[in-house]
Amino acid sequence: MMNETKTLYLMRHGETLFNVENKIQGWCDSPLTDRGIQQGLAAHEFFQSIELDHAYSSTAERASDTLELAIDARLPYQRLKDLREMGFGTFEGESERLNPKSPKEYQSFFVPYGGESSNAVGERMLKTLTGIMSLEDRHVVLAVSHAGACFNFLRMLQDPTEELAKGFTNGMIFKYQFTAQQFHLEEVIRPQI
């Protein structure tokens, strides 16, 4: 069916040690905190009544650990590098105080330091998620990724200002409809944990 409507749940991983310590993570990793584990378990409750047919996570352990909590081994999943966070180059592991102050400043700030541009991340996410959702047997999919990756994906689709103002919290879930090769944001679920 060419115009079948499919559903993508794009989730940000649970809270990590670096989130608590206000450190830039990017492609480096840190473990889920107790709160991050609780966020993964809250996602498990949310997805209990949803018939997922495929699941994906970035290659970062914080994302795959969150996904494993959310789906509780009810289906296999695949880890994909292209779902990983924005690369921040030599800023990774450093204080978030060093981050640019606005999304516009992020666009190419990290490139001279070995990182990625915001557009590169958004395009990577759009290509990867479109590829996943275009497969015939993908109807209701969960993908666990990262704040910067989720933000830049949304930025490829619409002005993200309103959602950014509400916060890109750990464990949040973006529900997208996918029809005729286009994504449409239906709702954002922000668990209160």
Side-chain angles (χ1 to χ4, degrees):
M1 278 188 170
M2 199 61 143
N3 289 325
E4 173 189 9
T5 299
K6 300 179 176 189
T7 303
L8 169 68
Y9 293 94
L10 180 60
M11 180 179 176
R12 182 182 179 200
H13 63 78
E15 181 187 77
T16 66
L17 180 62
F18 273 21
N19 293 140
V20 171
E21 294 179 348
N22 298 309
K23 291 186 177 182
I24 299 169
Q25 287 186 106
W27 293 353
C28 66
D29 215 353
S30 69
L32 295 178
T33 62
D34 289 342
R35 183 174 184 213
I37 291 168
Q38 292 305 310
Q39 290 164 334
L41 293 171
H44 173 75
E45 290 300 314
F46 176 81
F47 288 113
Q48 278 292 99
S49 62
I50 297 171
E51 289 294 322
L52 299 169
D53 53 57
H54 286 83
Y56 297 86
S57 80
S58 87
T59 51
E61 282 190 32
R62 62 190 185 267
S64 59
D65 288 352
T66 300
L67 178 63
E68 288 173 8
L69 290 164
I71 63 173
D72 192 31
R74 74 182 211 203
L75 72 156
Y77 70 92
Q78 185 176 353
R79 293 172 62 169
L80 299 175
K81 278 188 179 182
D82 285 339
L83 293 177
R84 67 185 167 177
E85 178 60 291
M86 180 173 178
F88 297 105
T90 57
F91 281 77
E92 297 198 3
E94 299 295 334
S95 171
E96 287 182 353
R97 289 179 292 122
L98 300 173
N99 274 332
K101 302 302 177 218
S102 73
K104 185 165 180 62
E105 292 176 273
Y106 264 87
Q107 288 181 3
S108 61
F109 179 85
F110 297 100
V111 173
Y113 305 99
E116 291 181 286
S117 72
S118 296
N119 285 342
V121 176
E123 290 165 6
R124 166 170 52 84
M125 289 289 289
L126 182 60
K127 179 182 176 185
T128 300
L129 293 169
T130 299
I132 288 169
M133 297 307 292
S134 296
L135 294 171
E136 193 173 309
D137 64 342
R138 278 21 174 217
H139 304 284
V140 182
V141 173
L142 169 60
V144 179
S145 190
H146 308 269
C150 292
F151 171 79
N152 285 300
F153 174 68
L154 179 60
R155 198 171 58 81
M156 295 288 110
L157 308 175
Q158 68 183 55
D159 181 350
T161 307
E162 182 181 336
E163 293 304 330
L164 185 61
K166 296 175 188 174
F168 268 59
T169 56
N170 290 100
M172 69 187 299
I173 302 164
F174 298 86
K175 182 180 180 182
Y176 291 96
Q177 295 300 317
F178 182 76
T179 307
Q181 300 294 298
Q182 298 291 315
F183 288 96
H184 170 73
L185 181 62
E186 185 173 294
E187 70 176 310
V188 180
I189 299 97
R190 290 178 173 86
Q192 302 299 311
I193 294 180

